[in-house]
């Protein structure tokens, strides 16, 4: 599952999130971490929260402009 998740995360969110997701899937005991959900929240949740800003800084995922789509 780790390689498939890595490709998906690379396509959707970039290399940094992809690497985090692959390590999370391969490391024992970390499979519960919702990497894709956290990256989605970084991209789409507009409510300002300090933890969300820190997560954006760590993952490199920026807030998506309204109306912008992934194609």
């Amino acid at each position: 599952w780790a390689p498939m998740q890595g490709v998906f995360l690379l396509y959707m969110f970039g290399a940094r999130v992809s690497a985090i997701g692959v390590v999370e899937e391969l490391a024992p005991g970390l499979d519960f971490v919702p990497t894709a959900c956290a990256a989605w929240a970084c991209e789409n949740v507009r409510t300002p929260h300090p933890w969300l800003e820190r997560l954006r800084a760590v993952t490199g995922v920026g807030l998506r402009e309204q109306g912008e789509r992934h194609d």
Side-chain angles (χ1 to χ4, degrees):
W1 168 244
M4 289 174 49
Q5 182 186 14
V7 170
F8 166 73
L9 291 174
L10 180 64
Y11 173 73
M12 294 296 293
F13 304 112
R16 193 179 299 176
V17 175
S18 177
I20 292 169
V22 169
V23 168
E24 174 251 320
E25 284 294 325
L26 291 175
L30 292 179
D31 197 33
F32 68 92
V33 178
T35 308
C37 293
W40 182 91
C42 286
E43 225 180 38
N44 294 290
V45 175
R46 300 195 178 290
T47 306
H49 275 287
W51 63 268
L52 198 51
E53 293 303 322
R54 282 191 293 264
L55 190 58
R56 285 183 181 123
V58 168
T59 61
V61 175
L63 187 61
R64 190 186 323 179
E65 297 295 323
Q66 285 191 315
E68 183 181 345
R69 293 181 43 173
H70 279 294
D71 289 326

